[in-house]
Amino acid sequence: MFTARRLSMVAAITAFALMAGCASQNPYDPNTQAPAEGGVSKTAKYGALGALAGAVAGAAIDHNNRGKGALIGAAAVGAAAAGYGYYADKQEAELRRQMEGTGVQVERQGDDIKLIMPGNITFATDSANIAPSFYTPLNNLANSFKQFNQNSIEIIGYTDSTGSRQHNMDLSQRRAQSVATYLTSQGVDGGRVSTRGMGPDQPVASNGTADGRAQNRRVEVNLRALPGAQGATSTVQ
């Protein structure tokens, strides 16, 4: 059984892990993305919870030196639990840096990252040919996706509501495929890439104005952890 002294030690280790996680959570840009979950990043949150579980398990296993066992358990399990969250933090920060000034929006949703590319930089009206202004963001994305290779890349094309639904569904699929083809031509692993055409579905603005239609003619890229990457620590420095 744990004594009060040993339980205090476990609590202290967990508090230390949480503070360390908060101190190292950085990669959020404080001007654009506030850490979620009441000011504590997912890296810190899961790392601390993992540290608590690891501390309890480590103390239980090492009967001769429960303090040492708790420290070892906290370090091992806490690192594993925080691994992908830390990886996503670093990837998000790098994408924000690379996409600055390009018109591409970077959004964080838990451990997932979404990139929103509006129609004014991606494709001309009724075209699936990549616009000249789109090559620089795509080249930057290709370089990032090759460096950060622990997530899947889902590319979704959208259109405005002008024209028939079937035409727009086909056009949005061709736009998504154009992006995928270009990224793979730049060395991104095609096994990570999938495409979908959503046509005029899920508009983000009114189709009653030219500006709204341009916002709806967009491409979104969703980045999610590959199977086995969740909880795995990253080698990206």
Side-chain angles (χ1 to χ4, degrees):
M1 299 291 293
F2 285 133
T3 64
R5 180 172 176 273
R6 287 164 182 165
L7 286 172
S8 297
M9 179 178 295
V10 170
I13 292 167
T14 305
F16 175 80
L18 180 58
M19 290 186 290
C22 292
S24 63
Q25 64 156 320
N26 172 16
Y28 290 129
D29 179 347
N31 296 317
T32 57
Q33 175 76 43
E37 308 277 337
V40 179
S41 76
K42 293 180 78 67
T43 302
K45 175 184 174 183
Y46 294 137
L49 291 175
L52 175 58
V56 173
I61 291 169
D62 191 342
H63 299 287
N64 295 323
N65 191 333
R66 293 184 185 273
K68 179 181 177 182
L71 286 169
I72 294 172
V77 181
Y84 188 79
Y86 174 71
Y87 181 96
D89 287 351
K90 292 190 68 102
Q91 185 176 26
E92 180 197 11
E94 180 63 15
L95 285 169
R96 287 188 183 279
R97 184 186 69 79
Q98 291 185 337
M99 295 299 106
E100 186 176 4
T102 66
V104 176
Q105 301 174 45
V106 181
E107 293 184 356
R108 180 72 174 270
Q109 301 173 339
D111 277 346
D112 298 342
I113 299 173
K114 175 181 286 189
L115 301 159
I116 303 173
M117 308 166 194
N120 63 331
I121 66 167
T122 54
F123 301 97
T125 301
D126 202 30
S127 173
N129 296 322
I130 293 172
S133 58
F134 200 20
Y135 282 107
T136 295
L138 286 180
N139 288 333
N140 290 343
L141 285 180
N143 290 332
S144 176
F145 293 163
K146 287 184 289 185
Q147 179 186 11
F148 292 88
N149 59 6
Q150 296 300 306
N151 30 43
S152 62
I153 303 166
E154 181 188 36
I155 303 168
I156 307 174
Y158 294 89
T159 67
D160 60 34
S161 62
T162 305
S164 72
R165 176 175 176 80
Q166 188 57 56
H167 176 75
N168 285 326
M169 294 299 289
D170 293 342
L171 177 60
S172 64
Q173 178 62 46
R174 289 189 284 117
R175 286 176 168 173
Q177 189 59 54
S178 290
V179 173
T181 299
Y182 186 77
L183 290 175
T184 55
S185 75
Q186 299 303 301
V188 176
D189 179 6
R192 299 169 56 201
V193 180
S194 63
T195 62
R196 266 198 299 160
M198 295 291 289
D201 295 347
Q202 300 177 9
V204 295
S206 170
N207 281 301
T209 66
D211 180 65
R213 289 191 294 273
Q215 292 181 59
N216 291 332
R217 293 192 303 270
R218 69 197 187 278
V219 173
E220 295 184 358
V221 177
N222 295 320
L223 306 176
R224 299 184 179 93
L226 287 169
Q230 198 80 28
T233 54
S234 166
T235 58
V236 176
Q237 301 298 320

